[in-house]
Each structure stands twice: as structure tokens, then as C-alpha cells.
């Protein structure tokens, strides 16, 4: 059997003399599975990238690899698909997985920022626009959305989340899944979404990436599991396990998470994939003595595909022949993998048009959407002076700061295919969009990492201005995976720059770029106005200028609390009340009142969940709760 081969001239499928019988996908999968030997079955369960020191093309010919990851070049994808489809015995096409987190070539705001739009239709459209570009280049499996509840901004991956709230995160998860999986190109090609990381990765101790997670089952189910379940209810086709251990057992071999909850309770029938090398990392967890035992434990727990640990590739065949892994488990995993490939239409359309894909990138409609998404994501945090929107004309502005003329960092983390040369800087955008008659001077003030200060030029620029626009914050490398921070103030000497400019007596409008909540009480207190731009993607600068000049009105609201200090973390609005709440007089004990408070810090956040201002003043009064009483099933 040669499988299904694509004639490159006619672009129509050629069926071999021994094709799968006609019927539904279940029948086709059963027939194909019946033709496979053990090595070919296990090959479908192996995912590799091109850094693997093996002969990938030869393994494809032997049917020993079923999926690739982190391959973006459509020519390379086509070449490898040709080998899998035309040169292997069964001609099974490859899954090609990539992390399309908030855009492919057109970069949208980081997911945390997008959650602050509270606009599910917008998020769904962003997901569809992102995956459209990726599909055109050969991606058919997307490792998103990440739906981990994140209540510790020290964790760098808070940038990928929807913040601290289970309800908001659940709605956002559904929107991402719909946007990714409902998209079809003209040939019906599409991509599967992969919800991650299962489970509770966002609760890593001390906000340190990959760290342990230990919590009660009640807390897990009430606070951390709802977004994953929402994604599954929305039809997500795959799930990725998390790097952390959960209550002493690594998630990648955690039968309670994968079998009891995911398969039995929720009825999930899709593909479960490990995260990068997380099967092999069971050894470092101390949960397996070697890679062979790691493969055994992961397989018995329900991992269908091994991403880049190579444990399945080297050891799973022996484990089946030794009777330690039942063949039925292998068959069940391969069924899920083949079902996904049939559902994605890969047997009919395994290749991409390498020339046409360039025409699908960076389209005007995508850029317009990116600008709108950035606008809706930005949050006005302070405007007591009424300096925003900027005055009509004749005002002299000094644009100062390390993010004022920056391109790459505006895109944020997880923007591999974005091109910095296609990103407009804030300086460039302001020069085009400031009101007529206004004047702009510029000085960097300090380096991007904040370590090198250039006060003289910054003060000279400020001296010529009526108002200072100060662009501060994090560069993109300070957030994302493996980028946790113990200190959440402005990097380097940025605060020193701010204080020097604030001491001039000129009003300072602070423009804050970041991938996480920061602990910046002094900056907030001293800024005349403060506008949170996040890392807003390709069109950050244009969207920010729209808000600054009043062409658009700020509408973003925080999806996560901002702490006053790191000592308050974890900080979130939905905390338990305790028996001695801070808002009471406390309990008299040892001749003094005892309450749940700090001696040296306020309990309240710097900015609470849901906070955000506009240019208008809104006042709520005579609020009523109706009904006053609800049942357990009520809303």
C-alpha cells in the first residue's frame, strides 16, 4: 500500500491500488491502522523538530515520525511532507505544529492585553486572522490558547494568559478556540488548536517557571480547571500537558489529571501531547529512573504524542514487546492522531502553495484588526490632570524613553515570525499624528535595558517642551517562557530617568509598555497621566497615538490586578474572606486588634482587576441587586 499521493501537476489525489475503503473517517482510520506495523504506529506518536540529531528524512520514509514542530518555512514543510506522503510505505501526512500565540506575520497584542478588551468577538477575529496566515505557510496544528489562571505577575508566562479570573478566562478560551478552529482557507485547509497547559501551570510556586504546584482539589476545580473545560466544550481538538508537577506527580504522567478528569469526567476524545521534552523531564523530576521508564509512565497515563523527548522513539517498541505497554493503548493513541489528520483534510491537501502564501501575509484587513485590537486592549490608568487627550495644536512635546523609538519590543514575546522592520515606532507615529501646529523633540533617555542613562540629552529635550511623553517599561525579552522576574519595578535606571524629568516641573504623561503587571506605586503617584500600552503588536504605536490624540477613546479594563509591592503576591480580587478580615475592627487578642493585614503595606492592589478609565466621567448610583436571593443553580 502506498497510501494517498498528490500529483503535483494535476494537484489531485492519486489513490494507490490498495486504498482505504470509502466510508466515514472512523472506517478510514480503522483500515489504515490495520495496515500498520508496530514501528509505524509508534512513529505516529513521535514529534520532532529539525534540531534532532537524527536523519529526519529517512525516519519519514520509514514512517517513524508523525509530526514536526517549529518549522515555519513553507518550502521546507512541503519537502518533508513530500517525503512522508510519497516516499513512505503508507503515505501518511505530517502534523506541523507551531506556537501561534498572538499572530504569525501580523502581530496582535499579547493575550493578556487582548483579555483586557473584554471583547470576545474581537479575540475570535484575532485568532482567525492569526491562523489564516499560519495555515497559508503550512502550519496545521497550533499550540494555543494558553488558558492558565495567572495570579503571580512574577511568572513570565502571565503574558500569554487571560489573567486572574476563571470566568473571564473561560470566555476568552472559547473565543480563541472558535477563532482558530472555525477558519478554513479556499481549499478547506485549517488548523487544530491545542489548549495548554494541563493543568494549573499558572500556579507555579514563587512565580518561577516550571516550578512545583501544590493545591487542594477544591481549589483546582473551582479556580484553575474552568478555562480548560471551556476550551474542551468549545471543541478544542488537542490538549498539551504542563511542565510542572501537581501535588507531587508531574502533569505529563498524572493519571488523576489525564485519565480521571480529562478523559473520564469531561469525556475528551482528542489528542493529548506532552510539552517540549516533558516526558524526558520525568527523570529530572525524580519520577522515572531513565527515559525508558519515563516513556512507560507517560504512555500509561495517556500521553498520545511525545514532543521532542524522543523517549517514545527509542523505547516504546521494546515496552510493548516486553508486555509492559498494552498494544491496545498504542492503537488508541494512533487512532486519535490519524483521526485528527483526517479531520484536518491533510490526506487531501498535504501541501501548501509556496508562492500564494506570501500573498496571505500582512494584509490591510489584518493590520486594521491589529490596530483595533491594540486600541481596545490599552488601559488608561490615570488622568487626573486631564492632559489626555492631547491638546489641539501649538503644544510642544518631548518624547523621551527607551521604548519611544523601539520596534521589536512592541511586538512582545512569542512573535517569532513578526518582522521588526514592519513595526512603526512611537516616534514615527507621533510625527504623523500629532495635532497640526504641535512640535515634537526626541531623546532616548536611557538604554532599552535601563542600564545606561543619558540624562543630559533627555533634560535638554524636556526643557524645550510644555509636556513630556515618557515611554517606559519592559523590553520583550523580560516576559514569556523562562522569563520570570523577582523584582517588578521598572528595569535598570528607568525610574531615575523618570524622577529627573518629573523634577523639571513639566507634566509627565507616562506611556507604559510591558508584558505583565508591574509594581510601580511611585511612578503612578508622580505621573500626571498614565496609559498602559502593554506589548501591543505590529500596530502598537498607531493605536496608541489614536488614543493620545483623541481619535479613539480608551476602553480597556485590567484582566489582572497590579500589586503595590512584590510582597503582596499572589494578589487577586476573588480571595477568601478569612475569619479576621481587613475591613473589620478585628478580634481583640493580647490587648490589641488582630486582622489579616500587613504591618508595612496596604492590602489593596495598586490597580484592581477590572480597573480602567476613559476620557469621560461615569458615575454609578442607586445600584440594586435583583434578585436578592438565588439558588445554587442561579445566576
Amino acid at each position: 500500500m502506498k497510501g494517498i499521493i498528490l500529483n503535483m501537476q494535476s494537484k489531485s489525489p492519486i489513490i494507490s491500488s490498495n486504498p482505504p475503503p470509502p466510508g466515514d473517517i472512523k472506517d478510514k482510520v480503522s483500515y489504515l491502522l490495520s495496515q500498520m506495523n508496530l514501528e509505524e504506529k509508534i512513529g505516529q506518536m513521535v514529534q520532532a523538530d529539525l534540531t534532532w540529531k537524527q536523519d529526519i528524512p529517512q525516519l519519514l520514509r520509514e514512517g517513524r515520525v508523525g509530526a514536526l514542530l517549529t518549522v515555519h518555512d513553507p518550502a521546507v514543510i512541503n519537502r518533508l511532507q513530500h517525503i512522508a506522503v510519497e516516499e513512505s510505505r503508507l503515505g501518511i501526512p505530517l502534523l506541523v505544529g507551531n506556537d501561534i500565540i498572538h499572530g504569525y506575520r501580523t502581530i496582535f497584542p499579547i493575550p493578556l492585553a487582548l483579555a483586557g478588551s473584554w471583547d470576545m468577538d474581537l479575540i475570535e477575529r484575532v485568532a482567525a486572522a492569526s491562523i489564516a496566515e499560519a495555515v497559508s505557510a503550512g502550519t496545521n496544528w497550533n499550540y494555543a490558547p494558553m488558558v492558565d489562571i495567572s495570579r503571580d505577575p512574577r511568572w513570565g508566562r502571565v503574558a500569554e494568559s487571560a489573567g486572574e479570573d476563571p470566568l473571564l478566562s473561560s470566555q476568552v478560551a472559547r473565543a480563541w478556540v472558535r477563532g482558530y478552529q472555525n477558519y478554513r482557507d479556499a481549499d478547506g485547509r485549517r488548523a487544530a488548536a491545542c489548549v495548554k497547559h494541563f493543568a494549573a501551570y499558572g500556579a507555579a510556586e514563587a512565580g518561577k517557571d516550571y516550578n512545583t504546584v501544590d493545591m487542594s482539589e477544591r481549589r483546582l476545580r473551582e479556580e484553575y480547571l474552568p478555562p480548560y473545560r471551556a476550551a474542551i466544550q468549545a471543541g478544542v481538538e488537542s490538549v498539551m500537558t504542563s511542565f510542572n508537577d501537581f501535588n507531587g506527580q508531574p502533569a505529563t504522567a498524572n493519571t488523576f489529571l489525564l485519565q480521571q478528569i480529562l478523559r473520564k469526567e469531561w469525556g475528551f476524545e482528542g489528542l493529548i501531547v506532552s510539552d517540549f521534552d516533558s516526558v524526558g523531564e520525568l527523570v529530572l523530576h525524580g519520577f522515572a529512573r531513565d527515559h525508558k521508564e519515563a516513556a512507560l509512565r507517560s504512555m500509561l497515563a495517556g500521553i498520545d504524542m511525545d514532543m521532542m523527548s524522543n523517549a517514545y522513539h527509542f523505547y516504546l517498541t521494546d515496552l510493548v514487546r516486553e508486555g509492559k505497554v498494552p498494544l491496545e493503548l498504542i492503537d488508541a493513541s494512533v487512532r486519535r492522531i490519524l483521526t485528527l489528520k483526517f479531520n484536518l483534510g491533510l490526506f487531501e491537501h498535504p501541501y501548501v502553495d509556496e508562492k500564494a502564501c506570501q500573498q496571505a501575509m500582512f494584509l490591510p484587513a489584518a493590520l486594521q484588526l491589529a490596530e483595533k485590537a491594540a486600541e481596545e486592549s490599552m488601559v488608561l490608568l490615570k488622568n487626573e490632570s486631564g492632559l489626555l487627550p492631547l491638546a489641539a495644536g501649538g503644544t510642544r512635546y518631548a518624547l523621551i524613553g527607551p521604548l519611544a523609538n523601539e520596534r521589536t519590543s512592541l511586538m512582545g514575546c512569542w512573535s517569532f515570525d513578526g518582522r521588526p522592520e514592519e513595526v512603526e515606532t512611537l516616534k514615527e507615529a507621533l510625527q504623523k499624528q500629532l495635532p497640526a501646529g504641535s512640535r515634537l523633540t526626541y531623546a532616548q533617555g536611557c538604554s532599552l535595558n535601563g542600564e545606561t542613562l543619558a540624562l543630559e540629552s533627555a533634560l535638554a529635550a524636556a526643557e524645550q517642551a510644555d509636556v513630556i511623553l515618557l515611554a517606559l517599561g519592559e523590553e520583550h525579552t523580560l516576559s514569556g517562557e523562562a522569563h520570570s522576574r523577582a523584582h517588578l519595578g521598572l528595569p535598570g535606571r528607568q525610574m531615575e530617568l523618570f524622577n529627573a524629568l518629573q523634577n523639571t516641573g513639566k507634566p509627565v504623561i507616562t506611556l507604559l509598555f510591558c508584558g505583565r503587571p508591574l509594581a510601580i506605586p511611585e511612578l503612578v503617584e508622580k505621573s500626571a497621566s498614565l496609559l498602559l500600552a502593554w506589548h501591543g503588536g505590529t500596530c502598537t504605536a498607531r493605536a496608541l497615538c489614536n488614543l493620545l490624540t483623541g481619535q479613539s477613546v480608551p476602553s480597556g479594563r485590567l484582566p489582572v490586578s497590579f500589586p503595590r509591592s512584590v510582597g503582596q503576591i499572589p494578589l487577586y480580587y476573588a480571595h477568601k474572606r478569612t475569619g479576621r478580615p481587613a475591613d473589620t475592627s478585628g478580634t481583640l487578642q493580647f490587648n490589641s486588634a488582630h486582622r489579616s493585614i500587613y504591618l508595612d503595606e496596604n492590602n489593596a492592589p495598586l490597580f484592581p482587576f477590572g480597573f480602567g478609565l476613559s476620557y469621560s466621567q461615569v458615575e454609578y448610583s442607586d445600584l440594586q441587586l435583583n434578585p436578592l436571593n438565588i439558588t445554587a443553580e442561579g445566576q
Side-chain angles (χ1 to χ4, degrees):
M1 174 185 174
K2 187 61 180 175
I4 299 177
I5 303 174
L6 195 70
N7 183 311
M8 289 308 294
Q9 295 196 354
S10 68
K11 298 278 180 87
S12 60
I14 297 176
I15 310 299
S16 74
S17 59
N18 187 25
D24 59 18
I25 287 177
K26 184 178 180 180
D27 293 334
K28 293 177 181 178
V29 168
S30 294
Y31 178 80
L32 193 52
L33 189 63
S34 72
Q35 305 299 305
M36 301 173 77
N37 60 40
L38 179 58
E39 287 78 9
E40 289 167 333
K41 290 177 180 179
I42 291 171
Q44 288 298 303
M45 303 169 68
V46 173
Q47 183 175 35
D49 69 15
L50 300 186
T51 67
W52 193 22
K53 298 186 184 305
Q54 300 289 321
D55 187 342
I56 300 287
Q58 183 57 32
L59 290 176
L60 293 176
R61 293 183 186 98
E62 296 170 1
R64 302 287 301 279
V65 173
L68 299 172
L69 76 157
T70 322
V71 184
H72 298 258
D73 186 335
V76 174
I77 292 172
N78 272 348
R79 176 170 61 83
L80 297 173
Q81 285 283 27
H82 274 294
I83 295 172
V85 172
E86 299 187 14
E87 299 181 31
S88 71
R89 188 175 75 89
L90 298 177
I92 301 173
L94 296 163
L95 289 170
V96 180
N98 281 302
D99 292 276
I100 317 303
I101 306 300
H102 56 108
Y104 190 77
R105 171 90 168 271
T106 305
I107 305 300
F108 296 89
I110 58 172
L112 183 62
L114 278 166
S117 72
W118 298 67
D119 188 336
M120 300 309 126
D121 176 69
L122 174 70
I123 293 171
E124 185 173 339
R125 291 165 58 201
V126 165
S130 301
I131 208 65
E133 292 185 343
V135 165
S136 74
T139 294
N140 51 51
W141 191 14
N142 183 26
Y143 303 132
M146 192 203 90
V147 301
D148 297 305
I149 295 296
S150 304
R151 292 173 170 178
D152 191 331
R154 293 172 296 182
W155 190 48
R157 302 195 79 164
V158 69
E160 300 171 56
S161 78
E164 70 184 57
D165 181 62
L167 178 58
L168 175 61
S169 295
S170 296
Q171 296 297 326
V172 170
R174 291 187 181 97
W176 281 116
V177 171
R178 289 193 303 265
Y180 287 139
Q181 293 193 170
N182 289 346
Y183 170 77
R184 304 287 189 279
D185 72 4
D187 293 322
R189 296 172 62 250
R190 67 183 190 90
C194 184
V195 68
K196 62 185 187 184
H197 307 85
F198 197 72
Y201 186 27
E205 282 188 1
K208 191 166 57 176
D209 212 352
Y210 317 122
N211 209 2
T212 188
V213 172
D214 202 320
M215 68 172 65
S216 68
E217 183 176 344
R218 174 172 180 166
R219 185 166 210 182
L220 173 74
R221 291 182 180 275
E222 288 185 353
E223 300 175 22
Y224 286 86
L225 289 186
Y228 306 110
R229 189 170 193 181
I232 288 166
Q233 290 170 338
V236 75
E237 292 174 285
S238 61
V239 170
M240 182 186 293
T241 60
S242 54
F243 286 116
N244 58 279
D245 72 328
F246 176 77
N247 290 354
Q249 189 173 30
T252 300
N254 194 305
T255 54
F256 171 68
L257 294 175
L258 302 180
Q259 294 298 324
Q260 176 62 34
I261 295 178
L262 192 56
R263 293 294 192 201
K264 293 180 181 178
E265 294 182 22
W266 295 355
F268 178 65
E269 298 179 348
L271 170 62
I272 301 176
V273 62
S274 72
D275 207 337
F276 194 105
D277 194 34
S278 66
V279 172
E281 289 168 10
L282 296 182
V283 178
L284 294 173
H285 274 287
F287 198 69
R289 69 173 60 90
D290 53 29
H291 273 60
K292 185 174 183 179
E293 186 178 2
L296 173 64
R297 286 181 174 270
S298 296
M299 187 69 236
L300 295 180
I303 300 296
D304 297 313
M305 184 175 287
D306 174 8
M307 182 195 289
M308 272 307 292
S309 80
N310 311 321
Y312 282 13
H313 173 80
F314 287 112
Y315 301 109
L316 203 47
T317 301
D318 289 343
L319 288 168
V320 174
R321 288 174 176 159
E322 292 167 6
K324 295 178 180 178
V325 172
L327 183 60
E328 291 79 7
L329 288 184
I330 301 293
D331 286 351
S333 290
V334 177
R335 278 186 181 277
R336 286 187 278 265
I337 294 166
L338 294 177
T339 298
L340 180 58
K341 291 183 176 184
F342 275 109
N343 282 335
L344 292 176
L346 294 180
F347 287 87
E348 293 78 20
H349 299 286
Y351 310 122
V352 295
D353 188 327
E354 296 169 28
K355 294 181 180 179
C357 81
Q358 294 305 316
Q359 301 170 3
M361 303 289 176
F362 218 62
L363 297 177
L367 291 171
Q368 291 172 9
L369 181 61
E371 183 177 345
K372 176 179 175 59
E375 277 184 15
E376 289 198 25
S377 299
M378 294 177 184
V379 183
L380 182 61
L381 296 176
K382 184 179 181 182
N383 197 28
E384 293 176 0
S385 62
L387 285 174
L388 293 177
L390 300 178
T395 304
R396 300 174 301 167
Y397 295 100
L399 175 62
I400 301 170
L403 278 300
N405 202 30
E406 166 66 6
R407 302 182 194 279
T408 303
S409 288
L410 299 192
M411 295 189 292
C413 59
W414 292 102
S415 53
F416 304 122
D417 293 277
R419 300 183 180 181
E421 65 270 19
E422 295 175 340
V423 178
E424 189 176 37
T425 71
L426 179 56
K427 176 187 173 187
E428 292 167 344
L430 276 171
Q431 287 170 335
K432 298 174 185 176
Q433 292 180 245
L434 274 179
S438 301
R439 195 178 77 183
L440 185 70
T441 57
Y442 162 75
Q444 185 180 22
C446 67
S447 60
L448 188 57
N449 61 15
E451 294 178 1
T452 304
L453 200 59
L455 271 183
E456 186 175 342
S457 58
L459 291 172
E463 185 62 31
Q464 303 175 47
D466 303 309
V467 176
I468 298 169
L469 299 170
L470 186 53
L472 301 174
E474 296 181 308
E475 57 183 310
H476 69 291
T477 58
L478 291 183
S479 60
E481 184 176 350
H483 289 77
S484 298
R485 294 183 62 194
H487 305 283
L488 296 181
L490 293 173
R493 303 175 70 183
Q494 287 190 33
M495 199 63 206
E496 188 177 339
L497 172 65
F498 172 86
N499 282 325
L501 294 171
Q502 199 267 342
N503 287 339
T504 65
K506 305 289 179 72
V508 178
I509 298 174
T510 303
L511 310 172
L512 186 62
F513 300 82
C514 53
R516 57 157 56 81
L518 298 177
I520 46 171
E522 184 182 359
L523 182 74
V524 173
E525 180 185 354
K526 295 180 178 179
S527 295
S529 296
L530 177 60
L531 184 54
L532 174 62
W534 299 109
H535 290 148
T538 301
C539 295
T540 302
R542 191 182 313 166
L544 181 55
C545 287
N546 291 343
L547 297 179
L548 291 173
T549 58
Q551 298 176 61
S552 300
V553 177
S555 61
R557 302 292 183 266
L558 294 178
V560 63
S561 303
F562 270 52
R564 296 176 183 274
S565 66
V566 171
Q568 293 178 303
I569 296 170
L571 182 69
Y572 51 97
Y573 83 92
H575 57 79
K576 298 292 189 292
R577 185 165 171 79
T578 83
R580 296 180 177 184
D583 59 354
T584 67
S585 59
T587 299
L588 189 63
Q589 184 177 353
F590 307 118
N591 297 319
S592 64
H594 287 56
R595 296 180 295 153
S596 180
I597 60 173
Y598 296 105
L599 294 176
D600 54 357
E601 183 56 271
N602 196 311
N603 275 31
L606 183 62
F607 294 109
F609 173 86
F611 184 85
L613 304 174
S614 183
Y615 290 150
S616 59
Q617 297 295 320
V618 178
E619 182 176 313
Y620 297 93
S621 61
D622 299 324
L623 300 179
Q624 295 182 359
L625 181 64
N626 186 25
L628 292 176
N629 299 296
I630 60 172
T631 65
E633 295 77 26
Q635 295 185 1

